[in-house]
């Protein structure tokens, strides 16, 4: 080095400066697959050799060993603990995934769900022994109907998408009952979540898209133009996937009803309007509620979830079984209903653990607290929006948003950085990326949903990080983005190949090329 600190000869980088011997990074341990570290002859438990016995399996007897990998107890424990540490979770940091509503799961809910009276009930117990559990289901049903202004609720669907299926099946059953089974078209705006058209297709309907208006909202005029005697229903999300309240929703509902069709509302964004607007007042006939988005139950990798569906008076008779009723002061479950078209959505009675958590959230907040949570979620999203709008472009101008702030990629034009690159650079800064490229109607969309549960300090650090990244784009520091993530356990992955040619079966080291 010279006295200005510049090197005076080429610096040789020793291998240890860029790589570690173990592949570990600090205390972030590189973890191979169980099949790579396990040994078939090892077991975590001592089991006696099986005594001699006469095998009566005949031709069904296994010919060779299965070769399941075995580990000692501490090795097994470490394997799964290390894997769990590779998960990013709302418990480890801000999770700005728009549309998914990753809000804090209060520990009080967990405590309630672990009460033995709730945790240990079995779905096949006699009804007389689970009166408390049924009372809880009834109480939650009542709360959901009150908040939405709807007449009935089906508690058994297991997620939002399953709730959509339930609501649309109820609509189909109602149409069949009134001799209008020929209505086979479902209207869905282009900004809809993919589950909406998928649900329509699953029940044998065809989807007629409704173009989104210039302001990111669906106009009553566009809906009227798409309506006809063949239309069964419209599936509309409100607030919509652009984070905007559909201003013409009442007019849309009236037009849909006049045309003899039903109004299915995708209620995934209900968390923005709880205590402020009731879907029943807006003319909705059916709407699912994602308990994991609005009422803070955990999002578990695909389950166990709960997506109750509230129904209007017109659809109440078409709700699936089972449901809770009161008879002579005792609660009972209706498992079969005469003339009921829909049948049941799932085995048993719904996702008890999620019901307890959601009711715990509702009761601990109270009506005023729930309204405040909606207001805070909207305030947080607008704060993020206002603090980034000078650097990042938003597709729908300067209008305030609901609970999520939507940006597009026009500010990245000609910079050599894409939405994906920007999201990967967030990982290096310790943030899970926002929702990318959704909704599809916005080019290079970045959908940020901070939720009500982040503090101002946490939002400020997030905003400052995004501002730092955005200014880095402006300075032309392209490699910070195209080379990201640099600091994650894995670098940039070939996501297209992972999606198109997934390796789902371990057949040995050859798979690792
Ligand atoms: C999350 C979501 C769904 C699907 O809900 P799941 O509970 O994930 O099945 C449907 N529509 C919208 C707008 C969503 O955000």
């Amino acid at each position: 080095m010279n006295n200005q600190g510049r090197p005076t000869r080429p610096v040789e980088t020793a291998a240890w400066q860029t790589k570690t011997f173990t592949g570990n990074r600090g205390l972030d341990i590189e973890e191979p697959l169980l099949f790579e570290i396990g040994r078939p002859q090892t077991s975590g438990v001592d089991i006696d050799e099986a005594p001699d016995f006469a095998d009566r399996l005949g031709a069904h007897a296994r010919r060779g060993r299965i070769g399941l990998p075995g580990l000692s107890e501490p090795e097994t424990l470490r394997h799964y603990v290390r894997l769990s540490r590779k998960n990013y979770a709302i418990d480890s940091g801000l999770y700005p995934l728009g549309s998914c509503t990753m809000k804090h799961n209060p520990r009080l809910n967990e405590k309630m769900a672990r009460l033995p009276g709730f945790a240990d009930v079995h779905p096949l117990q006699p009804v007389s022994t689970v009166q408390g559990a049924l009372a809880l289901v009834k109480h939650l049903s009542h709360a959901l109907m009150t908040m939405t202004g709807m007449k009935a609720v089906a508690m058994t669907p297991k997620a939002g998408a399953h709730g959509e299926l339930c609501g649309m099946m109820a609509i189909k059953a109602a149409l069949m009952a009134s001799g209008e089974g020929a209505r086979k078209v479902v209207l869905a705006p282009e900004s809809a979540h993919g589950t909406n058209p998928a649900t329509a297709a699953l029940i044998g309907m065809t989807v007629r898209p409704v173009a989104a208006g210039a302001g990111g909202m669906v106009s009553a005029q566009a809906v009227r133009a798409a309506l006809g005697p063949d239309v069964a229903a419209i599936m509309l999300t409100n607030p919509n996937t652009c984070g905007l309240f559909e201003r013409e929703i009442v007019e849309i509902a009236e037009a849909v009803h006049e045309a003899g069709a039903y109004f299915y509302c995708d209620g995934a964004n209900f968390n923005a309007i709880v205590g402020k607007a009731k879907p029943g007042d807006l003319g909705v006939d059916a709407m699912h509620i994602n308990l994991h988005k609005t009422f803070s139950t955990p999002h578990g990798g695909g389950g166990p979830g709960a997506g109750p569906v509230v129904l209007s008076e017109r659809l109440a008779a078409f709700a699936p079984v089972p449901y809770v009723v009161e008879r002579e002061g005792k609660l009972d479950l209706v498992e079969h209903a005469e003339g009921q078209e829909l049948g049941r959505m799932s085995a048993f009675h719904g996702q008890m653990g999620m019901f307890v958590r959601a009711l715990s959230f509702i009761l601990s907040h109270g009506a005023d607290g729930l309204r405040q949570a909606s207001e805070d979620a909207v305030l947080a999203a607008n704060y993020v929006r206002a603090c980034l709008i000078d650097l990042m472009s938003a597709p729908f101008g300067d209008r305030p948003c609901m609970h999520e702030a939507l940006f597009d990629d026009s500010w990245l034009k000609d910079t050599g950085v894409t939405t994906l690159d920007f999201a990967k650079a967030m990982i290096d800064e310790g943030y899970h990326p926002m929702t990318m490229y959704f909704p599809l109607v916005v080019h290079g969309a970045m959908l940020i949903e901070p939720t009500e549960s982040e503090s101002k300090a946490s939002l400020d650090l997030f905003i400052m990080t995004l501002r730092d990244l955005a200014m880095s784009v402006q300075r032309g520091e392209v490699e910070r983005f195209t080379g990201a993530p640099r600091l994650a356990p894995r670098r940039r992955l070939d996501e297209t190949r992972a999606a198109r040619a997934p390796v789902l079966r371990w057949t040995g080291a050859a798979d690792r090329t």
Side-chain angles (χ1 to χ4, degrees):
M1 301 277 174
N2 67 12
N3 58 10
Q4 280 142 11
R6 292 204 193 93
T8 49
R9 61 190 159 77
V11 188
E12 279 177 33
T13 326
W16 60 265
Q17 285 176 308
T18 52
K19 279 197 227 150
T20 58
F21 174 73
T22 51
N24 302 335
R25 284 165 171 261
L27 299 181
D28 186 4
I29 311 278
E30 178 66 25
E31 190 61 16
L33 296 177
L34 190 60
F35 291 96
E36 293 169 293
I37 52 174
R39 301 164 298 270
Q41 64 280 16
T42 305
S43 167
V45 286
D46 282 331
I47 303 175
D48 290 340
E49 275 297 318
D52 273 344
F53 62 91
D55 175 356
R56 285 182 288 158
L57 289 169
H60 304 294
R62 203 191 297 129
R63 294 205 184 91
R65 297 178 71 88
I66 316 180
L68 290 179
L71 292 174
S72 70
E73 183 178 314
E75 285 173 320
T76 312
L77 188 77
R78 282 183 186 156
H79 177 69
Y80 288 105
V81 168
R82 285 171 181 169
L83 286 189
S84 75
R85 286 178 49 172
K86 297 198 189 308
N87 276 340
Y88 189 80
I90 188 65
D91 288 352
S92 40
L94 189 148
Y95 210 146
L97 210 52
S99 207
C100 296
T101 316
M102 309 300 284
K103 61 166 84 175
H104 171 62
N105 311 142
R107 288 308 179 264
L108 177 66
N109 303 356
E110 298 302 318
K111 194 174 170 187
M112 294 302 113
R114 281 165 181 68
L115 290 174
F118 293 130
D120 297 341
V121 289
H122 191 280
L124 293 177
Q125 256 174 265
V127 164
S128 63
T129 65
V130 290
Q131 289 290 305
L134 296 185
L136 181 132
V137 175
K138 190 162 175 264
H139 198 149
L140 178 60
S141 304
H142 177 76
L144 297 179
M145 289 188 288
T146 307
M147 278 182 270
T148 54
M150 302 285 276
K151 286 286 180 294
V153 59
M155 295 299 289
T156 52
K158 295 289 194 285
H162 200 209
E164 284 176 37
L165 182 63
C166 175
M168 290 302 289
M169 282 169 72
I171 289 173
K172 193 176 172 183
L175 287 171
M176 300 291 258
S178 60
E180 290 177 284
R183 290 179 178 265
K184 288 260 187 264
V185 173
V186 170
L187 306 185
E190 285 165 343
S191 60
H193 194 267
T195 49
N196 293 186
T199 298
L202 199 61
I203 59 164
M205 303 267 176
T206 50
V207 177
R208 183 177 298 157
V210 181
M217 280 177 276
V218 177
S219 74
Q221 196 189 353
V223 172
R224 259 190 229 104
L227 279 167
D230 54 349
V231 174
I234 187 170
M235 294 184 85
L236 191 68
T237 311
N238 188 48
N240 69 22
T241 56
C242 299
L244 304 169
F245 192 94
E246 291 287 357
R247 293 204 184 161
E248 298 187 15
I249 190 161
V250 174
E251 220 183 314
I252 291 173
E254 282 165 7
V256 166
H257 290 153
E258 266 165 39
Y262 286 87
F263 180 4
Y264 185 90
C265 181
D266 179 330
N269 296 330
F270 187 47
N271 60 307
I273 58 169
V274 175
K276 309 293 282 187
K278 290 183 182 176
D281 294 345
L282 305 174
V284 169
D285 290 302
M287 181 181 97
H288 70 260
I289 301 168
N290 310 60
L291 296 188
H292 48 289
K293 292 178 183 173
T294 303
F295 298 112
S296 85
T297 67
H299 294 240
V309 183
V310 285
L311 300 166
S312 65
E313 195 148 26
R314 288 209 292 164
L315 290 179
F318 301 94
V321 288
Y323 44 83
V324 179
V325 289
E326 201 169 336
R327 284 188 189 125
E328 292 156 20
K330 292 251 185 282
L331 296 173
D332 199 5
L333 277 167
V334 176
E335 300 270 6
H336 304 280
E338 202 52 47
Q340 202 271 356
E341 304 279 339
L342 208 156
R344 49 197 313 143
M345 292 303 294
S346 60
F348 306 124
H349 321 112
Q351 201 51 263
M352 194 63 198
M354 295 301 130
F355 295 166
V356 181
R357 288 173 175 86
L359 188 64
S360 166
F361 183 81
I362 289 168
L363 294 181
S364 57
H365 278 67
D368 55 339
L370 290 169
R371 186 183 320 113
Q372 171 99 45
S374 301
E375 287 170 356
D376 289 352
V378 172
L379 182 63
N382 278 287
Y383 182 58
V384 168
R385 191 175 184 283
C387 292
L388 294 174
I389 195 77
D390 58 325
L391 289 172
M392 294 164 65
S393 49
F396 302 115
D398 278 341
R399 239 175 324 134
C401 57
M402 295 294 290
H403 61 301
E404 47 197 0
L406 179 58
F407 297 94
D408 62 20
D409 64 356
S410 53
W411 68 285
L412 292 173
K413 194 163 183 284
D414 300 330
T415 61
V417 176
T418 65
T419 291
L420 182 72
D421 299 329
F422 189 81
K424 295 295 181 193
M426 286 171 69
I427 296 176
D428 280 335
E429 296 294 336
Y431 283 109
H432 190 286
M434 69 288 265
T435 291
M436 296 178 287
Y437 300 105
F438 176 81
L440 301 177
V441 288
V442 169
H443 200 270
M446 295 177 225
L447 188 59
I448 300 178
E449 180 172 2
T451 80
E452 78 277 10
S453 48
E454 293 302 326
S455 67
K456 175 150 184 305
S458 155
L459 290 179
D460 282 338
L461 184 59
F462 176 68
I463 289 163
M464 286 189 294
T465 308
L466 289 203
R467 289 190 68 83
D468 182 69
L469 286 170
M471 288 187 290
S472 182
V473 172
Q474 286 180 348
R475 287 194 298 271
E477 291 161 0
V478 178
E479 270 172 45
R480 179 172 177 189
F481 301 88
T482 53
R486 250 181 306 275
L487 305 174
R490 290 289 177 273
R491 304 289 297 269
R492 187 79 67 101
L493 303 176
D494 183 345
E495 292 175 12
T496 313
R497 194 170 148 219
R500 297 222 169 133
V503 179
L504 302 175
R505 190 153 178 246
W506 170 259
T507 51
D511 283 349
R512 295 169 66 210
T513 52

